[in-house]
Amino acid sequence: MKSRVTAFRGSKHFQLKHVTDHVIAAIAIPGTGSLNNAAISDLGDTTIVVDTFLTLQAASDLKEAAIYLTGKPVSYVVNTLWHSDHISGNQVFLPEARIILTTASHEIMDTFSRQRLSQYQENIEQMVIHGRSSCVQLLTFGGGHTQSDVIVYIPEEKLVVTGDLVLSKHHPVLTNANPQEWLHILEQIEQLGIETIVPGHGNICSLRELREVKDYISDILGLVAKAMQNKQHIDSLEVPDKYQGWSFTTYFKSNLTKVQTLISAYEDEQ
Ligand SMILES: [Zn+2]
């Protein structure tokens, strides 16, 4: 696949990066129709696409790349989560491909978009797709970033495609998050013994960036808790130095607000 990556005609929406023998990442180019990262996995006789971008144009290019790189139609599309930047291109892959997402994500998508995907949907807790030369595991540890998140795990290559559970040098987005569960999920991913991560946004990375996300979530929880204790308004909190250079800065404030809402709700219950 490596030589094909360079030979691909290219897309303005993403840049292909050879990650391992069986995985090519499609890293989003900011300001285009992609927004999130996607991945293409070739299991020898089975081609899998992970996440499908924000627009049909970007998804069409992704489909073309997948077919070009692997020489096969796409058999499965895995959605790591229900946000529109990860699912909007799904229809481009129908009817040849089966769409795989969790039941919870499917219900949410149904409510939001009334897309009828039920005939393609699989309920997963752990599912393995076997190909001739490799296999991938689809794992869910429940919901952290959203109500239900999936990762794609290739044990032999010590690699995971995480969706937005891990972002590289981007503020994680807590809008639909359960921060404690998110931390717990990241701890479980750490136990998988992986070396390479294809994150939801940003460059290909490693456990180091996963740990940065853990630190970020813990820091936000700590900052908000402390501000609330001191009766300080969260609007006065500034992005900590170590996260200054990160993208998605606008989410910093909404992350603080979300955590404040969660803490207040928790305190009301006590
Ligand atoms: Zn995303």
Side-chain angles (χ1 to χ4, degrees):
M1 278 208 291
K2 204 169 185 173
S3 59
R4 296 232 128 196
V5 170
T6 2
F8 179 60
R9 68 164 177 89
S11 165
K12 64 174 182 186
H13 303 288
F14 56 83
Q15 215 183 350
L16 293 178
K17 289 243 162 75
H18 179 268
V19 189
T20 61
D21 280 354
H22 298 107
V23 177
I24 303 289
I27 302 295
I29 296 174
T32 67
S34 47
L35 195 56
N36 69 294
N37 295 335
I40 298 162
S41 179
D42 182 359
L43 308 184
D45 49 359
T46 308
T47 297
I48 298 172
V49 163
V50 186
D51 290 336
T52 58
F53 293 142
L54 184 66
T55 63
L56 298 181
Q57 292 82 353
S60 298
D61 284 2
L62 181 65
K63 184 181 178 184
E64 188 187 324
I67 294 170
Y68 179 77
L69 292 172
T70 67
K72 290 178 291 288
V74 177
S75 304
Y76 297 98
V77 167
V78 179
N79 291 142
T80 57
L81 58 118
W82 63 266
H83 290 166
S84 57
D85 57 326
H86 298 254
I87 62 159
S88 296
N90 279 2
Q91 56 183 286
V92 165
F93 295 88
L94 298 174
E96 303 89 7
R98 298 181 73 178
I99 310 283
I100 302 174
L101 67 168
T102 65
T103 310
S105 293
H106 177 250
E107 278 164 8
I108 294 162
M109 279 164 67
D110 223 25
T111 322
F112 273 79
S113 60
R114 294 204 199 97
Q115 274 180 319
R116 308 310 305 186
L117 287 168
S118 52
Q119 64 269 45
Y120 302 106
Q121 162 242 352
E122 305 266 1
N123 176 20
I124 55 166
E125 267 165 25
Q126 171 155 1
M127 172 177 178
V128 183
I129 301 176
H130 291 276
R132 197 173 48 224
S133 65
S134 186
C135 70
V136 300
Q137 293 182 19
L138 310 183
L139 304 177
T140 178
F141 299 109
H145 167 62
T146 67
Q147 298 83 339
S148 183
D149 302 299
V150 169
I151 64 165
V152 176
Y153 171 43
I154 307 191
E156 66 187 280
E157 296 189 320
K158 299 190 187 333
L159 175 142
V160 283
V161 184
T162 58
D164 290 354
L165 286 168
V166 178
L167 305 187
S168 171
K169 306 287 185 268
H170 283 61
H171 288 254
V173 181
L174 275 72
T175 316
N176 304 114
N178 179 327
Q180 297 296 354
E181 281 302 313
W182 193 337
L183 290 171
H184 186 58
I185 290 170
L186 292 177
E187 277 161 19
Q188 294 179 80
I189 296 175
E190 263 183 309
Q191 305 302 316
L192 296 174
I194 48 156
E195 286 169 2
T196 310
I197 297 175
V198 179
H201 300 260
N203 289 325
I204 293 155
C205 59
S206 65
L207 282 178
R208 190 178 135 167
E209 284 74 13
L210 180 148
R211 290 181 186 128
E212 286 177 354
V213 172
K214 277 171 69 180
D215 287 347
Y216 180 98
I217 296 169
S218 306
D219 286 350
I220 294 272
L221 291 172
L223 278 173
V224 175
K226 197 168 153 209
M228 287 170 78
Q229 247 169 28
N230 299 338
K231 310 247 177 293
Q232 180 193 359
H233 202 284
I234 54 166
D235 277 353
S236 63
L237 295 174
E238 289 189 11
V239 180
D241 282 349
K242 54 181 170 172
Y243 311 122
Q244 284 283 346
W246 287 16
S247 304
F248 284 3
T249 327
T250 46
Y251 286 108
F252 181 70
K253 292 277 178 222
S254 60
N255 286 344
L256 296 174
T257 311
K258 170 74 181 189
V259 168
Q260 187 177 41
T261 313
L262 290 172
I263 295 178
S264 305
Y266 178 77
E267 283 174 352
D268 288 348
E269 268 174 32
Q270 300 305 300

